[in-house]
């Protein structure tokens, strides 16, 4: 079932009177139709808003791990280790994301472009044309692929003149 956020306004003998936060409607529900939200409401939203600092290399680290002048050597060492771990994780995530992009690009090419080409040979159902096939016309030559067809016609070459402005 679907669960909707609500505020309990009153407890009754049969259950609770609630007001839905998104809709503003007020109804009475039974005790078994209520469940506490797992996110904890607005407390979880405050946890997610950690200020981040972007390093010159593009890594994002929490503001609390920025090394201050007042930090002791032990604190600086622990912050450096945590920063290194965060950077390592972000680097591996970036590599994995790039590999996934490349993989999807190849799969897209394979399923669209490569598969639409007419393939010949074993397992394709289309026999391979022999180079020793007898040509269809009298002008064709045996052993020359595409013989008997007309030459490719190109547009008449024209001299290009520059127009100076």
């Amino acid at each position: 079932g679907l669960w909707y956020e609500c505020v309990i306004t009153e407890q009754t003998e049969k259950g609770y009177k609630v007001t839905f936060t998104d809709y503003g409607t007020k109804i009475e529900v039974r005790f078994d139709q209520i469940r506490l939200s797992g996110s904890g409401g607005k407390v979880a939203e405050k946890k997610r808003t950690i200020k981040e600092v972007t390093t010159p290399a593009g890594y994002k680290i929490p503001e609390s791990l920025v090394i201050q002048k007042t930090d002791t050597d032990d604190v600086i060492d622990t912050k450096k280790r945590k920063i290194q771990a965060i950077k390592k994780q972000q680097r591996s995530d970036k590599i994995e994301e790039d590999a996934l992009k490349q993989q999807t690009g190849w799969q897209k090419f394979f399923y669209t472009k490569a598969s639409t080409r007419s393939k010949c040979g074993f397992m394709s159902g289309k026999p391979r044309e022999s180079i020793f096939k007898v040509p269809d016309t009298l002008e064709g030559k045996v052993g020359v692929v595409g013989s008997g067809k007309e030459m490719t016609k190109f547009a008449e070459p024209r001299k290009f003149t520059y127009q100076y402005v």
Side-chain angles (χ1 to χ4, degrees):
L2 297 174
W3 294 92
Y4 300 97
E5 287 191 26
C6 65
V7 177
I8 299 173
T9 54
E10 185 181 337
Q11 183 176 355
T12 62
E13 294 176 9
K14 297 179 183 177
Y16 298 106
K17 285 188 179 180
V18 296
T19 305
F20 291 102
T21 55
D22 294 337
Y23 307 105
T25 57
K26 298 177 182 180
I27 63 168
E28 186 173 345
V29 293
R30 295 190 315 261
F31 291 112
D32 61 338
Q33 292 177 326
I34 295 280
R35 112 176 145 180
L36 294 174
S37 64
S39 64
K42 296 185 179 184
V43 177
E45 290 177 12
K46 286 184 180 177
K47 277 188 174 182
R48 281 188 242 144
T49 57
I50 296 173
K51 291 187 179 179
E52 292 182 336
V53 177
T54 305
T55 63
Y59 297 107
K60 294 181 181 180
I61 58 170
E63 195 177 65
S64 61
L65 291 180
V66 175
I67 297 173
Q68 306 292 330
K69 292 180 181 178
T70 57
D71 291 341
T72 62
D73 290 337
D74 293 337
V75 173
I76 290 173
D77 288 341
T78 55
K79 283 185 178 183
K80 282 184 179 180
R81 271 189 257 114
K82 289 179 181 179
I83 289 171
Q84 283 179 340
I86 290 171
K87 285 182 177 181
K88 185 177 181 181
Q89 181 64 41
Q90 290 179 4
R91 195 177 309 119
S92 67
D93 290 345
K94 175 83 169 120
I95 290 170
E96 187 176 325
E97 182 182 320
D98 290 343
L100 190 63
K101 278 184 187 177
Q102 193 173 16
Q103 179 185 9
T104 55
W106 274 110
Q107 286 176 345
K108 183 179 176 185
F109 168 76
F110 179 74
Y111 289 119
T112 57
K113 303 267 192 264
S115 61
T116 57
R117 291 186 186 151
S118 61
K119 297 176 184 147
C120 60
F122 184 69
M123 296 287 288
S124 68
K126 181 180 176 185
R128 209 177 270 201
E129 284 190 17
S130 172
I131 63 167
F132 301 110
K133 182 178 107 174
V134 178
D136 297 332
T137 62
L138 295 174
E139 292 86 33
K141 298 178 183 176
V142 176
V144 179
V145 177
S147 69
K149 296 180 184 175
E150 288 185 38
M151 289 183 61
T152 306
K153 299 205 184 225
F154 295 103
E156 195 64 35
R158 286 184 262 151
K159 186 174 182 178
F160 182 77
T161 57
Y162 290 99
Q163 293 180 352
Y164 295 102
V165 186

